[in-house]
Amino acid sequence: MTKLIFSIFFLILIPLSGKSQSYLKLFPKDLLLKANTAKEANYLTEDEKLVILIMNIARINGPLFVKNILNNQTSGNSTPNFKSLINDLNNTKDIEPFLPANGLHQSSEYHAKDMGEKGTIGHQSSDGTSTFVRIRRYAQGGYMAENCAYGSSDPLAIVLQLLIDEGVSSLGHRKSILSKDYSYVGVSIQPHSTYGYNCVQDFSDTGD
């Protein structure tokens, strides 16, 4: 059975985010080692690898993610979605980390570049190709999902906003990132002619 979560989100910058990556020093080395599954994926940029690393930290040890990341947030931390994220992460632990998949990366890269060049949003390609048809050109799987985000190239800002899912009643982004249904991920961050940057994440239960 194939499942698709149509998740689109516009990003705002978050005070904690930044290229210094100093927040990583708050986590144990063994956790970072386990979460850093994309370290040798040479087809990914360092920021794309970091997106996967941060998502994996949340999957492996949600309570520690809350302690070291969310508890340091000063923006929007009183909203219902922020509070529900704390609850969800406090009940999230020992989910296997995402493994990078080159096919999913190619699919996400194609879509991120396509939207970036055309200045569009959404899951359908500019030539009319539907989401699943596009992803299956590059990857396989029974369960699949896609997150699209716009407005930031910062890995922590991207992951935090997708997890918080402010204004998204279905919490589709959060569910994709924390779901046990998906074991593999492709990530691409590309310039966007309208919103500055866009990030596409493609998920699957099957690798390349």
Side-chain angles (χ1 to χ4, degrees):
M1 178 184 293
T2 304
K3 180 171 68 175
L4 177 63
I5 297 176
F6 288 96
S7 300
I8 306 172
F9 202 74
F10 293 88
L11 302 179
I12 59 172
L13 293 180
I14 294 177
L16 183 62
S17 35
K19 298 293 185 180
S20 69
Q21 302 172 24
S22 59
Y23 52 88
L24 293 180
K25 297 178 182 178
L26 301 172
F27 294 95
K29 290 183 179 180
D30 60 338
L31 173 57
L32 294 177
L33 182 64
K34 184 175 182 179
N36 197 15
T37 57
K39 180 179 180 181
E40 304 300 328
N42 295 328
Y43 52 85
L44 295 171
T45 68
E46 291 305 309
D47 281 346
E48 290 163 355
K49 292 178 183 179
L50 190 53
V51 167
I52 296 175
L53 171 64
I54 297 169
M55 290 194 297
N56 281 341
I57 291 173
R59 288 167 68 86
I60 297 168
N61 196 327
L64 196 57
F65 191 98
V66 170
K67 177 183 177 181
N68 290 341
I69 300 293
L70 294 188
N71 285 350
N72 292 321
Q73 288 298 306
T74 59
S75 176
N77 60 10
S78 62
T79 68
N81 275 32
F82 191 95
K83 293 177 179 178
S84 72
L85 175 59
I86 290 177
N87 182 69
D88 285 349
L89 286 175
N90 278 331
N91 289 285
T92 299
K93 201 164 185 180
D94 298 326
I95 298 178
E96 287 299 309
F98 288 124
L99 298 175
N102 196 358
L104 291 170
H105 167 70
Q106 291 180 57
S107 172
S108 65
E109 183 179 56
Y110 176 91
H111 194 46
K113 287 183 175 180
D114 183 34
M115 289 191 294
E117 293 170 0
K118 302 294 192 303
T120 57
I121 63 172
H123 294 280
Q124 183 170 288
S125 299
S126 61
D127 63 1
T129 302
S130 65
T131 310
F132 277 139
V133 171
R134 170 183 32 92
I135 295 176
R136 291 187 185 282
R137 286 176 179 169
Y138 303 95
Q140 54 187 327
Y143 284 94
M144 290 182 169
E146 178 170 275
N147 288 348
C148 298
Y150 309 87
S152 178
S153 64
D154 181 86
L156 181 58
I158 290 169
V159 175
L160 283 178
Q161 291 289 347
L162 292 172
L163 283 172
I164 295 169
D165 247 2
E166 201 63 58
V168 182
S169 60
S170 69
L171 300 178
H173 304 86
R174 183 189 306 177
K175 291 177 181 177
S176 295
I177 293 171
L178 300 180
S179 175
K180 295 180 181 179
D181 289 339
Y182 311 119
S183 301
Y184 298 88
V185 68
V187 174
S188 183
I189 303 171
Q190 299 293 334
H192 194 283
S193 59
T194 303
Y195 298 107
Y197 291 94
N198 73 141
C199 176
V200 176
Q201 302 171 341
D202 284 341
F203 305 89
S204 179
D205 59 354
T206 306
D208 295 332

